[in-house]
Amino acid sequence: MKRTPLLFLFSIFILIIVGCGKKETITAPFSEDSIAVFTTADKERDQLSTDDQKELHRVFTWLNRDVVDLLRENGFKTVLLEDMKSYSSSMGPLFIINVEFFNPGVTASLPQGRMGNPVSSLDLSYKLLDERGALLTEWHDGAHSIKGGTYCARTLNRRAVEKITEFFQSR
């Protein structure tokens, strides 16, 4: 009769010590690699109205924070640059994101529902340069969403980080 409770306690003790199953450990493939990120939207900002510029600034700020977080989650030591002058080759490769086109969709000046749900869109161009400034890869990408510009930025950031990770793994 005492055997069942003892076996049960012994089993719980073993499970606590050993664990309940195989634990997956996520290892960052590039723990020693670092990358500098510079984003710009100067050309597009000049073509937008004041309200749209405010929305672009909000999306742009969110895009910067999100791409840095995603790169860090994928094992990169990431530095966000305020301007190109602050870049040095010791920071690693330079990842440049340029806003080519931005449509905010719904803004404060246009009530939602009156004209339907205008679609937000964001088109970006990317360049990845090595420490010497040589072009490693470049591409263009775009996304559209009825939920807003940050949803576009999130989609584009995920795709860009996947592309960068694949590029460095294939080297």
Side-chain angles (χ1 to χ4, degrees):
M1 296 259 184
K2 292 183 181 181
R3 191 182 256 184
T4 305
L6 284 175
L7 283 174
F8 180 72
L9 289 174
F10 181 71
S11 299
I12 289 180
F13 177 74
I14 295 295
L15 287 174
I16 290 172
I17 299 297
V18 176
C20 293
K22 183 179 178 183
K23 294 180 183 176
E24 278 190 45
T25 55
I26 300 173
T27 57
F30 310 108
S31 61
E32 70 274 359
D33 283 348
S34 60
I35 191 166
V37 177
F38 176 69
T39 55
T40 181
D42 296 335
K43 291 179 185 176
E44 184 61 23
R45 199 174 279 134
D46 294 340
Q47 299 173 6
L48 297 173
S49 69
T50 306
D51 286 343
D52 292 350
Q53 285 180 7
K54 289 177 186 176
E55 182 64 15
L56 175 61
H57 178 71
R58 187 182 72 77
V59 170
F60 190 74
T61 302
W62 193 92
L63 180 138
N64 285 336
R65 188 175 57 244
D66 185 56
V67 76
V68 167
D69 290 344
L70 288 172
L71 284 166
R72 286 182 180 155
E73 286 173 11
N74 281 280
F76 291 96
K77 295 177 187 174
T78 309
V79 177
L80 182 63
L81 303 174
E82 294 295 321
D83 60 7
M84 286 292 288
K85 294 176 186 175
S86 58
Y87 175 73
S88 71
S89 61
S90 63
M91 294 177 180
L94 177 61
F95 182 48
I96 301 172
I97 303 171
N98 185 32
V99 176
E100 297 290 332
F101 176 76
F102 175 69
N103 178 13
V106 176
T107 63
S109 63
L110 180 65
Q112 192 172 21
R114 181 161 184 190
M115 300 290 288
N117 284 337
V119 176
S120 297
S121 61
L122 183 63
D123 293 338
L124 303 175
S125 64
Y126 302 92
K127 287 185 181 181
L128 184 61
L129 308 173
D130 69 3
E131 293 84 357
R132 296 179 313 271
L135 183 66
L136 297 173
T137 184
E138 68 179 329
W139 70 96
H140 297 273
D141 201 358
H144 309 284
S145 175
I146 61 170
K147 295 181 180 181
T150 55
Y151 286 86
C152 299
R154 180 62 167 191
T155 300
L156 293 171
N157 285 343
R158 284 183 179 157
R159 288 185 210 158
V161 170
E162 286 174 9
K163 203 163 202 153
I164 290 172
T165 304
E166 288 173 8
F167 177 80
F168 282 109
Q169 284 178 344
S170 67
R171 286 179 77 190

